[in-house]
Amino acid sequence: MTPTPILAVEVTTGDTVMFVVVIVLLFFSAFLAIAETAITRVSRSKAAALADEGKPGAKQLKALVDHPERFLNPVLLVVSLVQLVQASLTGILADRLFGTWGVVVALFINVALVFVIAESAPKTWALQHPDRSALVSARPIAALVAFAPLRLVARGLIGLTNVILPGKGLKDGPFVSEEEILALADVAVEEDVIEEDERVLIESIIEFGDTVVREVMVPRPDMVAVPADFRVADVMEVAILNGYSRIPAYRDGVDDIVGLIYAKDLMKADRDGLQGALVSTLLRDATFVPETKRIAELLREMQANAFHMAIVVDEYGGTAGLVTLEDLIEELVGEIVDEYDREEPMVEPAPGGGIRVNARLAVDELNELLGAHLPEGDWDSVGGLMFHLFGKVATEGASVEVDGFELRVDRVTGRRISRVVVTRTAPVASVDDAATPAAGERPTRKDRDRDRDRDREREKDRDRDEPGDRSNGGSSGTAKRSGAGAP
């Protein structure tokens, strides 16, 4: 008796062709995975460098990287089409050869094969060999993208997507945000890849592009300017007294700046015996900029046109202040102080607790320092915030509470607030104690150094607060920082 076979499989020529097509589509999908991963990870600068070296395929690679939106959508469309056709043919072939259970088994096998052969392995290889994989795949992808019907279909499907989900996409494709860059810098500091100072510099560079002149300028009350009808000898005394190399000159008031006086021109005139001449004969042209101008743009203009000082004007054309090249550079590298500067610190511990700050300190910097949320608005400085909260000209000793902090006027110069004491009033640790180790913890060397420095500052404060020592108030040092130019 002849046994009956359990499963009779008859493979036809069509089945063989279909099997070959499935294998080809599987490897084509793997190639597209390599191309997508490699090309999207190549930066423009890297593609340009490869093109300069004359690498084969580098020209096509540069064209693709310069316009990622032109190749990415067509490639993703082809990947989806290839994988869909391959999966459909696999299901049809399994059903014809093995029946319903064969389709189920083939489905799981196909998923594993697609993941390993067409996704994981090729993309891993592309990450391990980024330049090589990008150059190898650049020419075929460029030829594929050049196929007009494919571009039209991809563009039509994107248009359909915009109908379903209206709104503008990213014209230049995905990008890295400022927050992500700073987060990467924080990770690099933690892993000792870069120093903390380098991380601070990165943050300063990012903030530099968003800062306007009004935030860094020397305000009008701090300007040192002279009438244009002053004699050379008189202006020479002003320059020597303040240590400035450039001084603005005005005619009918500070709102009518007519030019700049250079110290070297004064010295030359003094050498030539022209002490009695009017400084109007020595004036140089002044550059005027609006207070809303971005300092990054102003820095480029200063470099291109070789000037170190600009007069800042408000929306009404009046003089709002002045800005120097040093002010712009300090936004990047911090305060620049020479051996003749006598400046009061912007922030220092207050004898009675809390901290004492210069009223010109930016509110956002104070918020960052204290971890606070003091309101920000049309004002930039702590002094501006105080005027907003008081609603009138403040007097020494006046205080106001806002968001868990007491702001007390420590010093007033004329009608201007110059120093403010900030004290935390919420039921939490004080400003000085917030950074100290908790009970039972062993203080670190950094903690001990900080405590020692704080004790020294308190001793200096007690000495400075003795009767008869507050007549000058350090105003000359502040004027030096915010005066008419670098010495």
Side-chain angles (χ1 to χ4, degrees):
M1 183 176 180
T2 303
T4 303
I6 299 176
L7 180 62
V9 178
E10 181 180 354
V11 180
T12 64
T13 303
D15 296 334
T16 304
V17 173
M18 195 177 301
F19 178 77
V20 173
V21 172
V22 167
I23 298 300
V24 172
L25 291 176
L26 195 62
F27 282 96
F28 186 46
S29 179
F31 171 78
L32 293 176
I34 292 175
E36 176 193 350
T37 302
I39 297 177
T40 54
R41 291 184 65 87
V42 174
S43 63
R44 293 186 179 181
S45 58
K46 183 63 176 179
L50 293 174
D52 292 339
E53 295 175 7
K55 298 287 187 179
K59 183 178 180 181
Q60 291 81 359
L61 176 61
K62 185 177 183 301
L64 294 173
V65 172
D66 287 341
H67 302 281
E69 72 282 355
R70 295 182 183 178
F71 84 89
L72 192 55
N73 289 328
V75 168
L76 293 177
L77 175 61
V78 173
V79 169
S80 299
L81 181 62
V82 168
Q83 292 183 352
L84 179 61
V85 173
Q86 183 267 335
S88 300
L89 292 179
T90 301
I92 294 173
L93 185 60
D95 181 61
R96 289 184 56 180
L97 296 179
F98 306 107
T100 304
W101 287 108
V103 175
V104 176
V105 175
L107 175 62
F108 286 103
I109 296 177
N110 187 64
V111 170
L113 287 176
V114 169
F115 179 77
V116 174
I117 298 178
E119 290 291 337
S120 180
K123 289 185 177 181
T124 300
W125 186 83
L127 292 176
Q128 293 174 344
H129 309 84
D131 295 348
R132 180 182 175 186
S133 56
L135 293 172
V136 168
S137 58
R139 286 180 176 175
I141 294 300
L144 181 65
V145 174
F147 187 54
L150 177 61
R151 294 202 311 270
L152 293 177
V153 172
R155 190 174 302 173
L157 293 177
I158 293 297
L160 179 60
T161 303
N162 292 335
V163 172
I164 299 174
L165 298 173
K168 294 183 178 180
L170 299 176
K171 181 179 179 181
D172 296 327
F175 57 88
V176 179
S177 66
E178 295 178 354
E179 291 76 13
E180 290 174 316
I181 294 176
L182 292 177
L184 290 174
D186 289 334
V187 173
V189 171
E190 293 176 359
E191 297 180 355
D192 294 330
V193 177
I194 63 175
E195 300 292 336
E196 177 64 29
D197 292 342
E198 295 173 326
R199 191 267 180 202
V200 173
L201 181 58
I202 292 173
E203 183 176 6
S204 299
I205 293 172
I206 292 176
E207 294 178 351
F208 190 79
D210 298 328
T211 306
V212 296
V213 171
R214 183 183 64 249
E215 300 178 53
V216 303
M217 70 179 182
V218 176
R220 175 176 172 146
D222 289 340
M223 287 178 54
V224 174
V226 297
D229 57 358
F230 263 32
R231 297 181 303 115
V232 168
D234 296 331
V235 180
M236 177 73 79
E237 289 296 325
V238 174
I240 294 174
L241 179 63
N242 294 276
Y244 298 143
S245 60
R246 297 169 179 83
I247 301 177
Y250 59 85
R251 181 168 288 116
D252 297 324
V254 182
D255 287 324
D256 186 23
I257 300 293
V258 293
L260 301 178
I261 304 169
Y262 283 31
K264 59 183 180 182
D265 295 335
L266 293 173
M267 289 186 289
K268 181 178 179 181
D270 183 74
R271 183 199 63 185
D272 295 340
L274 301 177
Q275 295 89 346
L278 300 180
V279 293
S280 57
T281 60
L282 305 177
L283 291 180
R284 299 198 182 203
D285 293 337
T287 301
F288 297 86
V289 298
E291 60 181 356
T292 54
K293 189 182 188 70
R294 295 191 180 276
I295 62 175
E297 181 181 353
L298 177 59
L299 179 59
R300 289 192 294 268
E301 291 183 6
M302 285 184 168
Q303 290 176 308
N305 300 325
F307 65 94
H308 286 213
M309 176 184 290
I311 306 299
V312 184
V313 296
D314 58 25
E315 58 183 320
Y316 304 107
T319 300
L322 62 81
V323 62
T324 66
L325 181 61
E326 180 182 346
D327 294 326
L328 304 186
I329 296 176
E330 284 179 337
E331 284 301 299
L332 291 174
V333 301
E335 294 297 317
I336 301 175
V337 182
D338 62 27
E339 62 272 20
Y340 298 105
D341 286 343
R342 297 294 182 269
E343 294 190 7
E344 289 187 346
M346 294 297 289
V347 180
E348 59 182 347
I355 59 174
R356 181 163 50 202
V357 303
N358 191 310
R360 290 182 56 195
L361 180 70
V363 176
D364 57 348
E365 293 184 18
L366 182 60
N367 282 334
E368 182 178 354
L369 176 66
L370 300 178
H373 301 282
L374 300 177
E376 300 181 32
D378 296 333
W379 53 89
D380 296 319
S381 65
V382 176
L385 171 62
M386 296 285 284
F387 272 115
H388 169 75
L389 296 175
F390 283 121
K392 61 181 180 180
V393 177
T395 57
E396 288 189 9
S399 63
V400 62
E401 291 192 15
V402 55
D403 291 338
F405 289 87
E406 180 189 51
L407 306 181
R408 177 170 55 84
V409 179
D410 185 62
R411 186 189 306 161
V412 175
T413 304
R415 292 183 294 273
R416 180 184 181 191
I417 300 173
S418 56
R419 305 291 290 182
V420 176
V421 174
V422 183
T423 307
R424 193 186 296 268
T425 59
V428 294
S430 67
V431 174
D432 287 338
D433 297 335
T436 59
E441 293 184 1
R442 182 179 180 181
T444 64
R445 179 179 178 181
K446 182 178 180 181
D447 295 327
R448 293 193 298 269
D449 292 342
R450 185 189 60 246
D451 294 339
R452 183 179 63 252
D453 294 340
R454 187 170 59 209
D455 292 339
R456 291 176 179 175
E457 290 293 337
R458 287 176 174 173
E459 292 177 2
K460 292 180 181 178
D461 289 333
R462 285 194 293 269
D463 294 339
R464 185 163 53 239
D465 290 338
E466 290 295 328
D469 287 345
R470 297 192 59 182
S471 58
N472 292 330
S475 58
S476 62
T478 304
K480 180 68 177 72
R481 156 70 172 80
S482 55

